[in-house]
Amino acid sequence: MSQLTEDNKENGNETNPESNEAGRRNFLKFGALAAGLTVVGGGLGKVFSSEKEPGEKVKVLNTGDGKVYEADVNHLQECNMPPVSMTEARRGIANKKFVMVIDLAKCDGCKKCTEACQTAHYIPSEREWLKVFKMKESEATAPYFFPKPCFHCDNPPCTKVCPVNATFKRQDGIVLIDNERCIGCRSCMAACPYSTRFFNWSAPSAEEVAAVGNIPYSPERGLPRKMGTVEKCDFCPDMLRQGKMPHCVSGCPMDVIYFGDQNEDAVTNGSGVTVKLSQLLEENNGYRHLEELGTEARVYYLPPKNRKYPVPEMKEDESGEKKDSKPKKMDMGSMQM
Amino acid sequence: MATEKFDLKQEIETLREDCLRPTRTFGRSSQIWVGFLLAVMAWGIFCYIRQLRYGLGVTAMRDYVSWGMYISTFVFFIGISHSGTLVSAILRITKQEWRRPITRSAELLTFVSLCFGGIQPIIDLGHPERILNLVMYGRVQSPLMWDVISIMTYFTGSTVFLFLPMIPDMALCRDRLTVVDTRYKKFKKWLYTKLAIGWKGTKTQWHLLEKTMGTMTIVIIPVAVSVHTVVSYIFAMTLRPGWNSTVFGIYFVAGALYSGSAGVILGMAAFRKIYHFEKYLTPRHFDLIGKVVLALTLVYAYLNMNEYWIPAYKMATAEGHLLSDLFYGNYSKIFWTCQFGTVLIPIVIMSFPKGRKITPLVITCIVIVIGAWVKRYLIVVPTMLHPFLPIQDVTKEWSTYFPNYVEFSVEAASLAGMLLIITMFSKLFPMMAVWEVEEGIEIDYDKEVAVELGKQRIADHAKAAAEAVKVSNGQLKQPA
Amino acid sequence: MKSILKKITLAISITGLFCNISAAQDQPKATGKSEATIGLSYNKKADSKTAVAVVKVKKDGRFVPALNAKVNFYAVHDKEQQLLKSASTDNKGRAVIELQKGLPVDENLASTIVAKIENDKLYENTEEQMHFKEANLTLSLNPADTAHLVTAKLTEMDKDGKEVPVKGAELKFYVQRLFGSMPAGENNTVTTDENGIATFAYSKNIPGDTAGLITVAVKMEDNEQFGSIESKLPAAWGTSLAIIKDPFPRALWGVYAPWPIIITLSTLFGIVWSIYVSIVIKLFKIKKEGGMPNV
């Protein structure tokens, strides 16, 4: 486990920019928590210890109080341990409610978000945690692209039906899966109305095993993949603990996806533009997909109004051919705006 | 005095021997049959081991159709398991005399189909070795957990329900074993003695047995209903179009009774033929149980109408897509074949007394049982192929489903396992509840005796009357 | 309004078209290397000074980040270039180096940094330079509760080592959030007055942490003279976040089941199983009875 070492407690003083009272109070908390401060993952240690220059600061999210601190990268120990303990991975980050906003008006369907996600999570090509759909409600309405991650519902149908508590809802709103407990009954896949969950039908490929390496398993990372268990978009909790946004957010060149903490009423897009969540939703008529199902999704959509790109072309056979043998009317599902 | 044509002792002796005869032989044909079943099972187990080794990817299931033939078969087998409860318990409660030769095979069918129905979800698991997680981390909010609890309860109950009426028969087997030379005598003696739990047929024992039977008969009915209700809940508790239905609980129960009672007829016909029970399982029995199946099929047809006509009238978006696929899309042929061929036409056939004769009834029931299986598939798979969000950019392999050889092999093995247990059971234990049928014969005999006595009395009375008339006539004559 | 939007859309599509045509001219040269452009900036934060080079290449008519480009940073002193450090660009095309104290300065107290791509395997040689001066941005909070005012003062050193205010610089006021700085209001830009001071009134209903703390951030962005400067200060101005006593309640989706489910299930199945037990007891009675001599 990467942990702040003893001497970092002292160095923490230097890294803390503030010197007034409030800042000191902050720091005192920091110091007190340092011993129990589980910082960032083995993944992080691997990435940064070799590449970053000495003295570089990394943002570190304290899981105790949900605050972000900056720590010197050299004081993060690299060891091959899961980012956080199993208990911590199940509890989630305190005082946070993660939320995502997807601006359909900006999405041009380039699937860079999907690519970033696939690469970061070593996802086999036949499944996409974040899938970009081409949607068209009815014949007369205009088609649009619809990126769909896991909605991390507050009333999650998947979590309700799990017989062994392998999938769980954390206090920060994230729904995760513990693949060391999952029995592979796929009840959750049947229960999810958004087709968000995927099953490891076979063992991960040799390339994947080599790429992932022999890292210890954590639900926050979902790696190494385990045959016979269910997986899905996880809002990248390992990144969040580092104070970084999910891969899809930073991977989107159009700044379609916003991510943030609902408790702070703020979301940030891939370019770092931070806006007020309530205002964003109010001004753009934000909605949730299939609100009538009552799943209380944590992902909001902004309708595709005033598009910044031409309307996508919908070919009759494009989805028809792949879906069914017979070309037929587009099966778009119900969708409310 | 009673009658020469109805010799009670002789009658009962014939019955006992008829019932015990199959347990004493294990002929060439039986050996071939068992060998065949074992071969099918071996192949199925091989396929299952492959599935364990290489993952569920060896089946045709993929992410969109994540439940396929295994879960359909699970529902089907659990449905068949309702037979025992229905025929045995309901007919017992209503004191239907004709149930007597049927109960044992019905109860056995329940027991066996529960065994193999219960393992279907385990076969379907990605990590069957983690099954103990259900105990360690079990969540009672999960419908699957309700299934586990409910099926275990039903399994225990139906095992007891099968065992209770076997006790006197076990004693009979134990006592008769010494009479005739058989193979595996030592083993059989040990088995029968153990299972007879010291049955001597004392008054207290009979009293206790009747009491337990009475309790079980009542308890097993709500338990059976609960089982199929919660089996439907693994679907009905989801938001998916086609499953999101309040009628599912009773719909599944009705479907279970419909297929289960048809299953009982098949069992009856098979034992009648193989073990020569023609004397006991008469065309009248088939006619009567045929009427039961008819009534249940009508209920099932009614619920089918509810299940499809109500949403079809509204054609709500997501459900509408599913229904169009069923009514005139990819699944229309199989859907209408099921509705007409296995529900409506059987109703017509069984409505006529000629349709309830043994041969047409058995054929109808075979169709019903297969139809019930296919219908479970039609409940599970098309819904999975019609999620709320469209299926896009997926290869055909991932977006369509038809079970492949692995699933067929494993299910064939399950079926073979069921038949094997039934076969082995019938080679060890009498396939009719001997004492119950005896009781029936005794009642008949009593009736016969009563009739004879009545006749006698009437005759005597008439004689006396005639005498009296004569006397009175004489008396009348005298003054004249 | 609609017509304006249409025009904008049209303009965008025309631009797109144009870019597509020009894309043909942007093919990599015979060397197989791409032509990259560097954007260089200086960032000063409370605890760090960095030089950031953003390297982009034109691909299909669009500028996209150049990945894995090795950028060498030089400090210029009396027209002599001295290599500071090298860094490779990340997936956003950014190469960042930390600047140590004591950079050489010219007579105007300005430093010059040159970023170069030299003999890179993937990209053509190119370079970019920038000049910047040191400035200090200090923040202070309004001690009174009446208004949540943040006062920022921007100063620079003159040649005598005296702090002098910087006038006319645009400062932006933000609230620090988890993943970035959120503008503190609609118009969050204030220009410094002759005392180098800019003041901004923060809203009173900014969500803070459980203690009601927020962090205010003030930035000067891409100033021609001073680069970017950012300064932060915590303030107990936020609305306190209610601490959820039990984040894991008994719920259908929770770990622990709601009581009605537990009670219903255990009652129903408790009854059934107790009947089973009573039956097993009766079976034992039958067995016991069988052990007795025949009556």
Side-chain angles (χ1 to χ4, degrees), chain B residues 54-336:
Chain B
Y54 298 106
L56 279 156
V58 300
T59 68
M61 287 186 283
R62 290 297 180 264
D63 287 325
Y64 276 104
V65 183
S66 53
W67 278 347
M69 194 183 194
Y70 291 151
I71 294 292
S72 320
T73 310
F74 163 60
V75 181
F76 169 73
F77 279 172
I78 299 291
I80 291 287
S81 79
H82 275 48
S83 55
T85 337
L86 169 87
V87 174
S88 203
I90 297 179
L91 298 186
R92 261 182 227 275
I93 285 182
T94 52
K95 297 210 163 65
Q96 296 295 324
E97 281 302 316
W98 57 272
R99 70 164 198 275
R100 293 178 187 277
I102 303 171
T103 50
R104 173 71 42 82
S105 52
E107 283 153 17
L108 177 65
L109 196 57
T110 294
F111 172 79
V112 174
S113 54
L114 259 185
C115 284
F116 284 89
I119 63 165
Q120 295 305 318
I122 300 170
I123 291 174
D124 191 57
L125 288 186
H127 275 281
E129 83 282 2
R130 292 181 184 168
I131 192 83
L132 275 180
N133 283 4
L134 287 170
V135 182
M136 289 192 289
Y137 310 108
R139 287 174 80 248
V140 290
Q141 299 100 310
S142 163
L144 210 68
M145 203 59 176
W146 307 339
D147 275 12
V148 171
I149 298 171
S150 192
I151 290 174
M152 266 165 46
T153 308
Y154 188 41
F155 181 73
T156 313
S158 61
T159 310
V160 173
F161 199 48
L162 171 69
F163 175 63
L164 285 179
M166 272 175 69
I167 298 171
D169 288 359
M170 288 301 95
L172 182 74
C173 288
R174 178 195 61 197
D175 299 342
R176 295 244 156 171
L177 193 66
T178 43
V179 180
V180 193
D181 180 44
T182 51
R183 281 188 282 179
Y184 311 112
K185 202 165 170 181
K186 244 186 175 171
F187 164 73
K188 282 187 171 175
K189 173 142 191 145
W190 172 84
L191 184 72
Y192 294 145
T193 314
K194 281 277 160 199
L195 289 177
I197 56 164
W199 183 264
K200 282 176 180 168
T202 66
K203 242 186 182 167
T204 329
Q205 281 184 328
W206 275 115
H207 178 67
L208 281 167
L209 185 69
E210 270 160 26
K211 235 178 152 179
T212 49
M213 286 281 293
T215 319
M216 274 316 290
T217 310
I218 292 171
V219 169
I220 203 80
I221 294 171
V223 172
V225 171
S226 85
V227 167
H228 227 71
T229 308
V230 297
V231 164
S232 85
Y233 283 179
I234 63 171
F235 307 105
M237 290 293 168
T238 70
L239 292 160
R240 285 191 182 250
W243 291 352
N244 187 356
S245 156
T246 52
V247 82
F248 249 43
I250 182 72
Y251 181 46
F252 271 47
V253 173
L257 292 175
Y258 145 87
S259 59
S261 55
V264 171
I265 292 184
L266 295 185
M268 277 165 66
F271 290 124
R272 183 176 191 268
K273 190 98 188 136
I274 299 165
Y275 297 141
H276 307 290
F277 288 165
E278 285 92 347
K279 193 177 159 193
Y280 310 98
L281 294 166
T282 60
R284 180 173 164 263
H285 286 100
F286 283 89
D287 180 66
L288 285 167
I289 197 166
K291 281 179 185 163
V292 172
V293 178
L294 171 64
L296 292 167
T297 312
L298 282 166
V299 173
Y300 179 64
Y302 163 72
L303 284 161
N304 254 324
M305 187 191 74
N306 273 281
E307 172 61 15
Y308 291 104
W309 172 235
I310 293 176
Y313 188 85
K314 295 173 276 196
M315 274 294 180
T317 324
E319 205 148 32
H321 291 298
L322 169 69
L323 290 176
S324 355
D325 206 15
L326 286 175
F327 292 165
Y328 38 81
N330 291 337
Y331 287 97
S332 60
K333 272 180 206 148
I334 192 164
F335 177 79
W336 293 118

